């Protein structure tokens, strides 16, 4: 699991992810300078550190490099969430607490993501299982729908 990015690393990676193409130190520098005063050598050092940590790959272009993200911001966020969740002594409680923090839009995004991960086959199986589960809840005590036994237990 990757460690969380530092503030400046995150600012640099945000641009690399957003632009989604190989970038130069100069491009990142000029964009960062809109928000803060920063030196070329600082940005160059951050990109070199990100390369050494495996966040970006680089390709020489003349005397400079072009840097490109190795993975997506979504993959980074997922890895952070997975790491935090796996460190919990009660993962189910951690998920319940996390879901409780989510906005309605985030919960809808989660439902959409679950549908995507399940795929059409699992979705169909779940839909077919739902009526059987509802029948089981509605069945009188002692009756087991779907079993070969009749209402008298034989």
């Amino acid at each position: 699991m990757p460690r969380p990015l530092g503030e400046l690393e995150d600012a640099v990676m945000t641009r690399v992810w957003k632009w989604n193409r190989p970038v130069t130190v100069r491009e990142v520098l000029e964009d960062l300078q809109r928000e803060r005063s920063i030196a070329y050598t600082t940005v160059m050092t951050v990109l070199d550190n990100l390369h050494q940590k495996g966040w970006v790959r680089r390709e020489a272009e003349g005397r400079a490099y072009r840097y490109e993200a190795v993975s997506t911001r979504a993959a980074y966020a997922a890895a952070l969430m997975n790491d935090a969740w796996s460190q919990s002594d009660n993962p189910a409680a951690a998920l319940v607490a996390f879901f409780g923090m989510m906005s309605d839009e985030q919960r809808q995004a989660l439902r959409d993501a679950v549908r995507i991960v399940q795929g059409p086959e699992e979705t169909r199986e779940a839909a077919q299982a739902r009526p059987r589960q509802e029948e089981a809840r509605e069945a009188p005590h002692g009756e087991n729908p779907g079993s070969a036994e009749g209402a008298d237990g034989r």
Side-chain angles (χ1 to χ4, degrees), residues 103-136:
S103 67
D104 290 339
E105 294 81 18
Q106 289 170 321
R107 281 192 289 276
Q108 184 58 51
L110 176 64
R111 284 190 286 273
D112 294 344
V114 168
R115 278 193 287 277
I116 290 167
V117 170
Q118 287 179 335
E121 186 62 34
E122 290 184 41
T123 303
R124 190 170 32 253
E125 290 172 6
Q128 291 170 350
R130 209 169 295 120
R132 288 191 298 268
Q133 292 167 348
E134 290 169 5
E135 288 173 10

Side-chain angles (χ1 to χ4, degrees), residues 14 17 36 46 64 68 83 89 93 96 145 154:
T14 294
W17 282 318
R36 64 177 91 187
V46 170
E68 186 174 15
D83 186 55
D89 61 346
V96 169
R154 287 187 252 157

Side-chain angles (χ1 to χ4, degrees), residues 29-88:
L29 171 72
E30 289 173 359
D31 201 58
L32 282 170
Q33 285 179 332
R34 295 179 189 172
E35 300 171 2
R36 64 177 91 187
S37 177
I38 190 166
Y40 180 93
T41 54
T42 301
V43 176
M44 184 175 64
T45 300
V46 170
L47 278 163
D48 185 59
N49 290 343
L50 289 167
H51 175 257
Q52 290 180 25
K53 292 178 179 181
W55 287 102
V56 295
R57 63 180 145 261
R58 67 186 182 192
E59 187 172 318
E61 185 175 279
R63 293 177 46 214
Y65 288 106
R66 284 204 173 266
Y67 295 86
E68 186 174 15
V70 169
S71 67
T72 65
R73 183 167 204 105
Y76 168 67
L80 290 176
M81 289 187 289
N82 186 56
D83 186 55
W85 182 56
S86 67
Q87 291 181 30
S88 172

